[in-house]
Amino acid sequence: MSAGAQRAAIAVVQVLGLAVWFSMSAVVPSLQQEWGISAAEAVWLTGSVQIGFVAGALGSTALNLADRARPHRVLAASAASAAACTVALAVFVDGMAGAIPLRFLTGVCLAGVYPVGMKLTASWSSSTGRGLALGVLIGALTMGSTLPHLIAGLGALPWRGVLSAASGIGLLGAVVALVLVRPGPHLAAAAPKHNPRYAITMFAERGPALVNVGYFGHMWELYALWTWIPTFLLASSAGAALPGSVALVVFAAMGIAGVAGCLLGGWAADRFGRSPTAIAALAVSGLCCAASPFAFAAGPALLVVFCAVWGAAVIADSGVFSTSLSETADPRYVGTALTAQTAIGFALTVVSIQLVPVLADVVGWRYAFLVLAPGPLIGALAMRAFGARPAAGAVPAKEST
């Protein structure tokens, strides 16, 4: 298969394999009625996945799994295992006591889908086109993550049906990974020495350290927004008047607009440079955080447009961070570096996801997203410093061409 076909196959695996990620979030209203759980309890249906992802990523980092094992096999096995955990929940579980452990294991498995997919995409992309290639991959992640909202919004499936559908989609992703995906020529092909310390020592290098700080600021905002935007919309003054269901609005604003943002961000990263693109996206999403109280009180049409802009901006820079780290990290340990980056970033999401409803209980949902604003600000400052650093080693594609 050509490089383009390989990148397309990897993106398809991300769409399909990550359909299980937010499958429980898409059916929370049904679960609150059937299981009698509160919003504080329901948050753990997402939070446990994030914690599981961190645990899986840390284990993968300690073993250098993404660099020492055949990555397409890791990708296939991880997608299949995540699908199996989700279908087990749909078939056998009747309460939180069974759901939380299975959601945790789902997160562990997904740590072998997303970071490994990034490494595989980078392996099929030269530096000059890697920004757009990883932008496409993050767009696939965005579409896959929001796909359960589409399933829930379009059909009359019960929550077990939504989960079963997401599981079937995830299993299909595993098959595609096993049959079609292979590693490419642009990263170190030979398995390196076992070196789990690289996950720590890369922070001693200015380039990777600044990229990681930028990514952490981005992650502080991203998953908390994705988790709580349905509740924010329902609580808004226009919530009852939104066209169609909130689930479809979320899919359109965070999913479809998010994919557009990823593609635009990837193109801009190759055209204008990594740092300017990341800073622009962080600035827009940060302004959306600050403006969210005003959007909360706006009419339905304006609120939907606002959410679409936010949904595009909040994810547009994600591929930029992955691209920048793949270009500045030791090429022998790119998989380890990307996995460590996502492990720490997802650990931060557990905190921000928890903080948003806590703040909402105090000041109301109108002001709840203000707690996310420091993330884009810190991220933008870090990427400004990254762009201004002395030229050494790998640099953004625009400057290195």
Side-chain angles (χ1 to χ4, degrees):
M1 292 176 66
S2 67
Q6 279 289 333
R7 291 194 297 267
I10 297 164
V12 167
V13 173
Q14 297 297 302
V15 172
L16 302 176
L18 294 173
V20 301
W21 199 319
F22 279 87
S23 54
M24 292 296 282
S25 301
V27 297
V28 161
S30 298
L31 293 176
Q32 285 181 302
Q33 292 181 3
E34 186 170 325
W35 291 356
I37 58 176
S38 66
E41 291 173 308
V43 71
W44 285 106
L45 296 172
T46 299
S48 56
V49 180
Q50 309 299 91
I51 295 172
F53 185 97
V54 173
L58 290 175
S60 176
T61 299
L63 296 171
N64 296 134
L65 187 62
D67 297 308
R68 301 178 74 225
R70 297 288 286 172
H72 64 287
R73 293 177 181 171
V74 175
L75 183 62
S78 300
S81 299
C85 291
T86 304
V87 77
L89 196 159
V91 174
F92 299 113
V93 172
D94 291 306
M96 294 290 284
I100 296 301
L102 282 170
R103 293 300 285 162
F104 174 85
L105 289 175
T106 301
V108 171
C109 297
L110 290 175
V113 177
Y114 173 33
V116 175
M118 287 193 291
K119 177 182 177 175
L120 283 163
T121 297
S123 77
W124 284 104
S125 310
S126 65
S127 181
T128 54
R130 191 173 294 175
L132 180 57
L134 283 168
V136 171
L137 184 81
I138 303 301
L141 173 147
T142 303
M143 184 63 69
S145 297
T146 57
L147 196 56
H149 290 284
L150 178 63
I151 297 171
L154 285 180
L157 291 175
W159 69 267
R160 295 183 191 274
V162 174
L163 264 60
S164 297
S167 301
I169 292 170
L171 184 59
L172 180 59
V175 173
V176 173
L178 189 62
V179 174
L180 297 181
V181 174
R182 295 294 182 271
H186 288 291
L187 295 176
K193 285 184 176 181
H194 183 220
N195 182 20
R197 288 178 57 84
Y198 186 70
I200 299 173
T201 58
M202 71 170 172
F203 285 94
E205 303 169 21
R206 181 170 172 80
L210 288 171
V211 170
N212 279 316
V213 172
Y215 176 77
F216 300 154
H218 154 80
M219 289 296 282
W220 178 260
E221 177 190 18
L222 175 61
Y223 276 85
L225 175 65
W226 279 1
T227 299
W228 293 114
I229 190 64
T231 306
F232 177 85
L233 290 171
L234 285 170
S236 70
S237 58
L242 284 172
S245 70
V246 165
L248 292 179
V249 172
V250 171
F251 177 75
M254 300 294 126
I256 297 175
V259 170
C262 290
L263 297 178
L264 179 60
W267 170 82
D270 290 333
R271 177 66 178 84
F272 302 108
R274 314 306 191 211
S275 297
T277 301
I279 292 169
L282 288 162
V284 174
S285 64
L287 286 172
C288 288
C289 286
S292 59
F294 302 100
F296 185 89
L302 183 59
L303 181 57
V304 170
V305 171
F306 173 83
C307 288
V309 172
W310 200 354
V314 75
I315 193 65
D317 50 352
S318 191
V320 181
F321 298 117
S322 305
T323 303
S324 299
L325 187 61
S326 74
E327 293 169 343
T328 56
D330 186 329
R332 297 171 299 171
Y333 298 105
V334 166
T336 297
L338 290 169
T339 305
Q341 181 191 63
T342 54
I344 300 171
F346 277 87
L348 285 173
T349 70
V350 176
V351 179
S352 61
I353 287 172
Q354 295 292 325
L355 281 179
V356 169
V358 170
L359 184 61
D361 286 342
V362 177
V363 299
W365 278 102
R366 179 173 184 173
Y367 301 99
F369 283 143
L370 292 178
V371 73
L372 304 180
L377 175 60
I378 292 170
L381 292 174
M383 292 306 289
R384 184 173 182 270
F386 176 75
R389 77 196 192 288
V395 295
K398 182 175 172 58
E399 289 79 31
S400 63
T401 55

